[in-house]
Amino acid sequence: MALITFSSPLHKDKTVYAVAGSHTQTILALAKEHHIPIDFGCQEGNCGTCLVKVSSMDGKRAPMGGPLNVREVAALTELGHITKAEIDQMYVDDIPPTQWRLACQMIVRDEDILVEYPSK
Ligand code: FES
């Protein structure tokens, strides 16, 4: 069972359990389930409102996960959080190239992670 810690400058940190191996639960779905106020809009990976920064709790490597999906690549490119070179390398390494993710697109893995989200 993975521990997901949500952290924001304006809210108390909250750590919740994620169901390991569900392969369907997004960061945003988990946040909503636990009343964590991550902003969101489309919930389809188009608007970029749910931008979060994700890091592995062991601090030794980037979080697990496969390449970003097409919508995440487009949104993160538009927001200036990923470069063409990083995208190209992502398809070689088969891992996410950046800590910036869309909460509505990133699937929770069996890994303890820190999710930092902006607050208004
Ligand atoms: Fe629109 Fe996630 S809510 S991209």
Side-chain angles (χ1 to χ4, degrees), residues 28 39-50 75 102-105:
L28 182 60
D39 290 338
F40 62 90
C42 67
Q43 299 185 70
E44 295 179 357
N46 297 319
C47 70
T49 306
C50 65
L102 298 179
C104 72
Q105 298 299 301

Side-chain angles (χ1 to χ4, degrees), residues 20-36:
S22 78
H23 303 297
T24 58
Q25 190 173 37
T26 65
I27 296 290
L28 182 60
L30 188 65
K32 289 166 72 175
E33 183 182 322
H34 292 279
H35 309 289
I36 294 161

Side-chain angles (χ1 to χ4, degrees), residues 72-89:
E72 236 182 333
V73 167
L76 292 176
T77 299
E78 189 169 318
L79 292 168
H81 287 300
I82 190 171
T83 65
K84 172 83 169 75
E86 288 173 322
I87 295 166
D88 292 344
Q89 192 62 44

